[in-house]
């Protein structure tokens, strides 16, 4: 079978002319597109006016580069012991600086998660809960807000945890069992309800 090709020179010329005409018309006319107005500030102001004022304190450190992380930071104050620096100065050591051979483990029941796990006394409750895969509330991770607060049902929180430089809870709240899980290190077995603020 022979395949015949029919090439029409006038058809090709007509197609080329039509294509050039379309390109010319669209480049002269333009697309008519104009950028939309930026309304992000208006939306933020509207959202801010719609949120009711509360007495819940804002985290003290939300600025970019405003600290965060706390890795390598030396806590101000705190209940830690003094340690010697090589050059003769002193530095405060906190509950997270326990030597490996002195680490103890305690049974802690997370009421809302419905599980009891063993927690070590050299890491904060928040970090160890996250290691279990739980999405626990937090904001500053430095004891400067109450976003990570929890309540220990069995009594004063200081009977069960050591607070490392928490700055938000008053003595009466600690007596009611409240703790900040980001700076609370287990010292005994207990039950805690996370996400409970005073």
């Amino acid at each position: 079978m022979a395949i015949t090709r029919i090439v029409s020179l006038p058809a090709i010329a007509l197609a080329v002319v039509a294509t050039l005409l379309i390109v010319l018309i669209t480049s002269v006319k333009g697309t008519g597109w104009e950028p939309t107005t930026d309304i992000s500030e208006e939306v933020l102001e509207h959202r801010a006016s719609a949120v009711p004022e509360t007495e819940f304190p804002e985290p003290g450190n939300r600025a970019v580069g405003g600290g965060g992380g706390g890795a390598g930071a030396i806590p101000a104050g705190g209940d830690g012991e003094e340690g010697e620096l090589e050059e003769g100065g002193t530095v405060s050591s906190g509950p997270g600086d326990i030597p490996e051979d002195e680490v103890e483990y305690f049974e802690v029941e997370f009421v809302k998660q419905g599980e009891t796990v063993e927690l070590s006394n050299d890491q904060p409750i928040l970090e160890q809960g996250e290691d279990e895969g739980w999405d626990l509330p937090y904001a500053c991770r430095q004891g400067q807000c109450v976003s990570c607060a929890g309540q220990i049902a069995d009594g004063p929180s200081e009977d069960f945890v050591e607070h490392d430089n928490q700055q938000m809870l008053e003595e009466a709240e600690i007596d009611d069992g409240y703790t900040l899980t980001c700076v609370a290190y287990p010292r005994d077995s207990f039950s805690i309800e996370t996400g409970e603020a005073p």
Side-chain angles (χ1 to χ4, degrees):
M1 233 191 244
I3 300 176
T4 25
R5 248 189 210 182
I6 301 176
V7 177
S8 170
L9 193 55
I12 292 175
L14 185 59
V16 169
V17 170
T19 303
L20 290 175
L21 187 60
I22 291 172
V23 169
L24 181 66
I25 290 173
T26 56
S27 65
V28 170
K29 181 179 177 186
T31 62
W33 177 85
E34 291 183 24
T36 57
T37 308
D38 183 13
I39 61 167
S40 59
E41 287 298 319
E42 293 175 37
V43 170
L44 289 174
E45 288 175 17
H46 176 71
R47 286 183 180 171
S49 67
V51 175
E53 289 294 320
T54 65
E55 292 183 22
F56 190 76
E58 283 295 317
N61 197 358
R62 289 237 174 162
V64 173
I74 299 172
D79 300 316
E81 302 169 4
E82 295 293 316
E84 290 290 323
L85 291 176
E86 284 184 28
E87 299 172 5
T90 60
V91 65
S92 128
S93 65
D97 299 326
I98 297 172
E100 251 184 71
D101 60 336
E102 295 179 23
V103 172
E104 297 179 66
Y105 293 87
F106 303 98
E107 294 286 324
V108 176
E109 177 190 10
F110 285 78
V111 176
K112 289 184 180 176
Q113 288 72 22
E115 291 191 41
T116 300
V117 294
E118 274 193 351
L119 300 186
S120 65
N121 64 344
D122 66 338
Q123 288 186 334
I125 295 169
L126 174 63
E127 287 180 19
Q128 295 185 75
E130 290 176 328
D131 289 346
E132 293 293 323
W134 300 325
D135 185 21
L136 301 176
Y138 70 89
C140 74
R141 290 186 177 267
Q142 297 179 357
Q144 297 176 359
C145 71
V146 293
S147 297
C148 68
Q151 186 173 24
I152 298 172
D154 300 328
S157 60
E158 287 186 332
D159 290 353
F160 301 96
V161 298
E162 181 176 343
H163 295 108
D164 183 25
N165 198 26
Q166 76 83 18
Q167 300 174 18
M168 296 303 295
L169 298 177
E170 296 177 8
E171 200 61 41
E173 294 166 338
I174 291 172
D175 289 343
D176 287 339
Y178 289 101
T179 186
L180 302 180
T181 61
C182 72
V183 292
Y185 293 75
R187 293 294 179 256
D188 202 347
S189 296
F190 58 89
S191 295
I192 186 168
E193 282 202 50
T194 55
E196 295 295 321

